[in-house]
Amino acid sequence: MQKLVAIDLDGTFLNENYTISSLHADTVKKAQKKGAQIVIATGRAQFDVQRLFHDQDLSAWVIGANGATTYDPDGTLTLPLPLKTVYAKEIVRWLAEENYYFEIVTDKEIFITSNAKQLLEDEMDIVQQADKEEMKKAKERQLGQANMKEIDDYMRVFQAEKDIYKVTIVSFDEERRRVAADTLGKNDLNLYSSADFNMEIVDGQASKGHALKKLANKLDIKKDDIIAIGDSMNDLPMLEAAGTKVAMGNATDEVKEACDYTTDTNEENGVATMLEREILKRKD
């Protein structure tokens, strides 16, 4: 029976240096040769995932932007769920007025305003309650994404009539993140956190779980034949959609409690351990 394996990216498939280990890459390729359908499910944009794939010559389905996009292994967008324009405008207008760092994510680029980098630097200088080294790593992660473009005025994105799949907020100030969540939260929107210090806003129907169910239906794969593995709270909808739920060794306690078992950490190649158990060593 064909299996569909959904794998989270940061904290799961990636190590602490935000790269894919050769063991993880090789084990995925072996699982694919055995007939498994592999999907990377992440808050990142698909083109950023492809940048990571390139070094290891990988190809897979990609659920990006926390379920707002799904791409086939050839890179074709198949199941889009863009933000409603009226909501996207409200969100970015408020963020700009309140001097938040934010990213506007389309299917081709990540747009930031020309003062965005300085906003992150200013927060790092002001905020005392967060670890300085962790803030530095978070800043490098955000600014190291693929296809980032600076613009003078965020309205240029709307004038170009581009579909917006996600707006990402990064703040090192816990209170500012809470205020943003309280202000921008709506019934027609989903808010996720996929990394320290960030918040991601997508369409209300978008989640890794919803996208995984639609992909499974497209591939005619039943829930019992879906395996999902993750480490963070935004992985819970994806794990709920799977017949076999696996937590990383570095997962939060809530994720571990929701799963059938816990594998090794991302630094210990926990995805490879899971694929060996669930795909490569199985006789069926």
Side-chain angles (χ1 to χ4, degrees):
M1 186 64 67
Q2 189 177 53
K3 299 289 185 180
L4 174 58
V5 185
I7 303 170
D8 171 53
L9 195 62
D10 288 276
T12 300
F13 200 46
L14 300 186
N15 56 33
E16 291 182 358
N17 295 319
Y18 304 123
T19 59
I20 301 168
S21 72
S22 57
L23 180 57
H24 267 172
D26 290 345
T27 310
V28 161
K29 291 173 187 176
K30 289 177 183 177
Q32 289 172 320
K33 285 182 180 179
K34 197 169 179 181
Q37 293 280 358
I38 304 294
V39 55
I40 299 298
T42 177
R44 293 186 187 231
Q46 182 264 357
F47 49 79
D48 199 37
V49 179
Q50 291 302 324
R51 174 180 62 86
L52 295 163
F53 277 3
H54 182 266
D55 293 339
Q56 295 287 359
D57 193 27
L58 282 171
S59 177
W61 291 87
V62 177
I63 293 172
N66 274 311
T69 61
T70 300
Y71 291 82
D72 69 19
D74 293 326
T76 302
L77 179 61
T78 61
L79 300 170
L81 269 175
L83 281 163
K84 294 179 177 63
T85 301
V86 63
Y87 289 156
K89 283 184 176 178
E90 288 178 7
I91 292 164
V92 298
R93 184 179 293 116
W94 184 84
L95 291 170
E97 289 173 352
E98 298 296 324
N99 289 318
Y100 279 82
Y101 172 95
F102 65 91
E103 301 167 354
I104 301 173
V105 182
T106 72
D107 66 331
K108 302 293 184 186
E109 312 101 341
I110 300 173
F111 293 99
I112 59 174
T113 53
S114 54
N115 69 333
K117 295 177 183 178
Q118 188 59 51
L119 290 173
L120 283 183
E121 293 286 351
D122 291 344
E123 275 204 8
M124 289 179 70
D125 290 338
I126 295 170
V127 173
Q128 300 299 320
Q129 68 269 30
D131 182 271
K132 294 292 183 183
E133 191 60 33
E134 288 300 313
M135 287 193 288
K136 181 181 178 181
K137 287 176 63 176
K139 185 190 77 168
E140 291 173 350
R141 175 189 183 278
Q142 291 303 132
L143 299 179
Q145 297 173 94
N147 297 12
M148 295 193 79
K149 295 185 178 180
E150 288 189 15
I151 51 175
D152 295 327
D153 182 359
Y154 64 82
M155 286 304 296
R156 287 174 52 196
V157 180
F158 297 104
Q159 290 165 357
E161 298 184 346
K162 294 177 179 287
D163 282 335
I164 295 171
Y165 291 97
K166 182 180 70 164
V167 176
T168 301
I169 304 164
V170 178
S171 176
F172 303 121
D173 187 323
E174 184 177 356
E175 177 63 14
R176 275 171 64 79
R177 294 198 302 273
R178 185 194 64 78
V179 169
D182 290 345
T183 303
L184 300 175
K186 295 178 182 291
N187 291 335
D188 293 333
L189 298 172
N190 279 338
L191 276 62
Y192 297 108
S193 177
S194 61
D196 290 341
F197 310 118
N198 86 353
M199 185 170 69
E200 301 173 341
I201 306 174
V202 295
D203 182 81
Q205 295 185 59
S207 73
K208 291 183 182 183
H210 181 73
L212 181 57
K213 289 176 185 177
K214 291 182 73 172
L215 178 58
N217 185 61
K218 180 183 179 70
L219 298 175
D220 194 26
I221 296 176
K222 295 180 173 57
K223 180 176 181 178
D224 286 349
D225 295 312
I226 301 174
I227 304 161
I229 181 167
D231 72 306
S232 299
M233 297 298 287
N234 70 321
D235 294 321
L236 289 175
M238 173 181 77
L239 292 163
E240 181 58 33
T244 301
K245 308 167 180 59
V246 185
M248 294 297 293
N250 51 287
T252 64
D253 290 341
E254 293 91 340
V255 169
K256 289 179 179 178
E257 289 171 5
C259 288
D260 299 307
Y261 69 90
T262 298
T263 186
D264 298 323
T265 69
N266 60 328
E267 286 294 291
E268 298 165 333
N269 295 296
V271 171
T273 304
M274 178 275 295
L275 289 173
E276 285 283 350
R277 169 176 169 168
E278 298 296 336
I279 304 294
L280 301 182
K281 290 184 177 179
R282 284 186 177 270
K283 303 299 182 184
D284 53 347

